[in-house]
Amino acid sequence: MYYYISMKFYSPYPQMTSDAARIPDNVNVKLFMRHSIRFENPPDGDYSTLLLTPEGIELAKKIGESIDRPLGKCAASTVERCGQTVEAITSGMSPDLKMGYTKEKLLRLAPFSSLVIDSKPEGMTGIGWHEYFNALQTGDTLTSRGVTVEQEAASILDGIFSINGEPGTLDLLCSHDCHVVVLASALFNLKTGLDGHDWCRYTEGLFLYGTRDDFTALWRGEKKQFIKYGYGV
């Protein structure tokens, strides 16, 4: 039996704050989010070294200050700005909610989908990034070279649900826009089109609770239940 005590969560996106308030109190909930605000695109095309701006760090701290649920586990991509985001969020949290968390306990998310960070999968040349995601979202497997959004999402979900805090806690999992967009596209039919409209924004993400076999996800005001999603794809 679930019971509800409105979960507090500041976000620059009101729908995300509202989504948090709809999460049961006695479950382990996972926030799978994009990192905070980073520096602008590098002239050499190497995104891997880009860190958070001072504004991005302050935004993440403000999020942490709003959280009123005990911390479960924390994980981040190996790209440093994702770890920075988790550290800034947890630094803003009340000490009694951090449950002894230290930076040394930060887990690293493996590259759990065939999407590589900040570029398309190997062989995806000659098309733009938004064009590739549009192909995933519309089922154009000719353009995506046989890759489906369901396959990508299933792999990401496997990674998310391999990390489990205690019931009643919040797990923070920070990755990149491409992974959040894949999951939102698969679960909530997100369409970003050839121009990338409605793309995932900084610190935006999905809340998920339950098990890999039976979970509920919340995204931009929508809430859905999924049973054995992506099994057999």
Side-chain angles (χ1 to χ4, degrees):
M1 184 74 176
Y2 290 155
Y3 57 87
Y4 292 80
I5 300 176
S6 181
M7 174 179 160
K8 295 179 181 178
F9 184 86
Y10 167 78
S11 171
Y13 320 114
Q15 286 180 327
M16 200 168 172
T17 298
S18 298
D19 287 343
R22 302 169 69 190
I23 297 169
D25 188 63
N26 53 333
V27 299
N28 168 253
V29 59
K30 305 173 193 308
L31 170 56
F32 185 66
M33 66 185 297
R34 185 185 182 185
H35 56 76
S36 194
I37 304 165
R38 59 163 172 76
F39 284 99
E40 290 301 313
N41 297 351
D44 63 359
D46 182 7
Y47 289 74
S48 65
T49 60
L50 293 180
L51 300 179
L52 300 188
T53 64
E55 180 187 6
I57 292 172
E58 287 306 310
L59 171 57
K61 285 183 178 178
K62 186 174 182 179
I63 290 171
E65 290 168 357
S66 74
I67 293 173
D68 64 350
R69 183 167 295 208
L71 190 63
K73 294 185 177 180
C74 297
S77 159
T78 55
V79 175
E80 185 57 29
R81 59 183 173 270
C82 295
Q84 276 188 298
T85 300
V86 170
E87 291 309 307
I89 291 174
T90 55
S91 72
M93 292 181 66
S94 172
D96 63 327
L97 294 177
K98 289 200 281 190
M99 307 296 286
Y101 173 78
T102 64
K103 186 175 182 178
E104 289 69 34
K105 294 182 179 180
L106 178 66
L107 303 172
R108 290 298 182 179
L109 290 171
F112 42 52
S113 83
S114 65
L115 289 172
V116 292
I117 301 304
D118 293 323
S119 64
K120 294 175 288 296
E122 185 177 356
M124 293 286 101
T125 57
I127 62 172
W129 188 233
H130 291 148
E131 184 179 355
Y132 175 71
F133 272 86
N134 183 65
L136 286 179
Q137 294 163 351
T138 59
D140 178 5
T141 53
L142 181 63
T143 299
S144 70
R145 309 282 179 88
V147 179
T148 69
V149 72
E150 291 82 9
Q151 290 170 328
E152 295 285 17
S155 182
I156 291 171
L157 288 166
D158 290 345
I160 289 173
F161 283 100
S162 70
I163 295 172
N164 293 292
E166 296 297 320
T169 63
L170 170 67
D171 293 343
L172 294 175
L173 313 177
C174 185
S175 190
H176 300 265
D177 51 349
C178 58
H179 292 138
V180 177
V181 168
V182 161
L183 208 53
S185 299
L187 302 183
F188 292 93
N189 199 33
L190 174 66
K191 295 290 192 294
T192 55
L194 295 175
D195 61 352
H197 67 273
D198 286 338
W199 195 257
C200 172
R201 299 162 289 185
Y202 291 121
T203 70
E204 189 175 21
L206 301 94
F207 292 103
L208 306 99
Y209 62 88
T211 66
R212 177 65 180 87
D213 290 347
D214 181 358
F215 67 88
T216 297
L218 300 97
W219 162 261
R220 293 184 179 176
E222 292 188 72
K223 181 179 179 180
K224 293 183 180 180
Q225 183 181 13
F226 300 88
I227 298 176
K228 295 186 176 179
Y229 178 89
Y231 283 23
V233 296

